[in-house]
């Protein structure tokens, strides 16, 4: 497990401007093959909305889970943040689900991007893997140029599996934002069904045109905006209704307004 002189085993951090106090810590948990550098764009966008973002090194073994939970809790306490949000992708989403129990009430919300245990049925070359991951040339170019990215990892099951026990899902009280792409090449449909039916507070969002890496695909601006909206709602403490309500449009009419009633 990576070590650091700071409470977080961190390589990349994004903080809001000095004028803004960050009330919320967002800890990003990468997926298979990714590095902390894979989340530069997401980190910068969330920090612009006064969220303090930390991207952890990928967790390679389920035995590391208690230590990761301890380091996250220590990092949030040391920074004095009021809220903690985990954002996990792929294997990182599985890890986020597993961290919900040890973090308990310290956890304000979970954001799960493409969770699951499925792998590609056969190896593909790197160009094909990039096409399966995302349709954003900027992001796939970044992956291609990053020497730390592990190529070919989508053919292997994730190192950390999601919880098998349905009661573990039912015990997660923090609200959950579940993000999936409608063009994901390896969706774990059975797990997604269980998450949508077992989690007490789940908001499920499907990204149109999204492939595997929906946090970094062509619609990354919309996805990061959805995360910000969800975090604001979760930390409000009032989970009975949305912060923003979409009102039905008033039917247009060309009839003149009615005359005001006369008096006397």
């Amino acid at each position: 497990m990576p070590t650091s002189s700071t409470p977080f085993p961190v390589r990349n951090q994004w903080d809001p401007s000095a004028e803004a106090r960050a009330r919320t810590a967002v800890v990003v948990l990468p997926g298979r093959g990714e590095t902390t550098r894979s989340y530069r764009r997401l980190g910068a966008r969330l920090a612009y909305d006064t969220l303090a973002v930390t991207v952890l090194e990928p967790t390679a073994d389920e035995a590391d889970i208690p230590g990761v939970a301890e380091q996250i809790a220590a990092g949030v306490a040391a920074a004095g943040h009021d809220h903690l949000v985990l954002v996990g992708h792929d294997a990182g989403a599985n890890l986020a689900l597993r961290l919900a129990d040890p973090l308990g009430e310290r956890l304000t919300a979970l954001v799960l991007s493409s969770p699951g245990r499925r792998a590609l049925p056969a190896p593909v070359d790197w160009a094909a893997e990039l096409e399966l991951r995302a349709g954003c040339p900027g992001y796939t170019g970044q992956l291609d140029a990053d020497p730390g990215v592990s190529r070919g990892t989508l053919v292997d099951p994730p190192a950390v599996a999601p919880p098998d026990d349905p009661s573990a899902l039912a015990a997660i009280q923090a609200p959950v934002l579940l993000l999936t792409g409608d063009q994901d090449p390896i969706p774990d449909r059975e797990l997604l069904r269980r998450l949508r039916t077992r989690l007490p507070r789940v908001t499920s969002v499907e990204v149109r045109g999204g492939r595997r890496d929906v946090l970094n695909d062509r619609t990354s601006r919309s996805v990061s905006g959805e995360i910000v909206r969800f975090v604001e709602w979760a930390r409000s403490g009032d989970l009975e209704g949305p912060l923003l309500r979409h009102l039905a449009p008033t039917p247009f009419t060309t009839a003149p307004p009615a005359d005001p009633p006369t008096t006397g």
Side-chain angles (χ1 to χ4, degrees):
M1 184 172 177
T3 58
S4 172
S5 58
T6 64
F8 285 122
V10 63
R11 290 289 181 84
N12 277 358
Q13 285 183 306
W14 291 265
D15 294 304
S17 64
E19 294 78 16
R21 175 178 177 261
R23 297 173 51 220
T24 303
V26 174
V27 178
V28 179
L29 308 168
R32 280 173 285 184
E34 297 175 325
T35 72
T36 57
R37 291 181 292 274
S38 304
Y39 290 91
R40 290 180 298 188
R41 183 167 60 182
L42 178 69
R45 285 175 177 162
L46 296 182
Y48 185 80
D49 283 291
T50 69
L51 303 174
V53 181
T54 300
V55 184
L56 301 191
E57 295 284 0
T59 298
D61 194 300
E62 293 192 0
D64 291 340
I65 292 175
V68 174
E70 291 175 5
Q71 288 179 303
I72 290 175
V76 173
H81 297 304
D82 300 329
H83 300 280
L84 167 63
V85 177
L86 299 183
V87 177
H89 171 64
D90 184 67
N94 299 344
L95 174 60
L97 284 166
R98 300 284 294 274
L99 289 169
D101 178 54
L103 288 173
E105 294 183 355
R106 288 169 291 199
L107 190 60
T108 302
L110 285 169
V111 178
L112 308 176
S113 163
S114 308
R117 65 184 78 210
R118 290 195 61 203
L120 294 175
V124 296
D125 63 29
W126 179 233
E129 181 178 335
L130 289 174
E131 284 292 315
L132 295 173
R133 283 183 173 273
C136 174
Y139 175 64
T140 55
Q142 176 184 318
L143 290 177
D144 188 49
D146 186 345
V149 167
S150 298
R151 304 183 179 193
T153 50
L154 291 184
V155 78
D156 299 317
V160 176
D164 285 321
D165 185 357
S167 64
L169 298 179
I172 297 175
Q173 295 303 307
V176 176
L177 175 61
L178 178 59
L179 298 166
T180 56
D182 66 359
Q183 295 182 20
D184 184 352
I186 47 173
D188 191 334
R189 301 192 190 282
E190 174 56 27
L191 174 65
L192 296 176
R193 182 194 65 79
R194 283 194 285 123
L195 294 176
R196 289 166 180 149
T197 57
R198 297 283 184 175
L199 289 169
R201 296 189 179 97
V202 59
T203 301
S204 186
V205 175
E206 185 176 75
V207 180
R208 187 170 63 186
R211 302 182 192 178
R212 186 66 186 169
D213 298 358
V214 291
L215 295 178
N216 284 303
D217 215 335
R218 290 182 184 273
T219 52
S220 59
R221 288 183 181 85
S222 297
V223 169
S224 61
E226 184 68 17
I227 293 172
V228 170
R229 181 207 62 79
F230 182 77
V231 170
E232 287 185 342
W233 170 75
R235 71 187 183 188
S236 73
D238 181 4
L239 306 181
E240 297 305 314
L243 287 179
L244 304 177
R245 294 186 177 90
H246 293 269
L247 303 179
T250 303
F252 177 75
T253 177
T254 57
D259 293 331
T262 59
T263 60

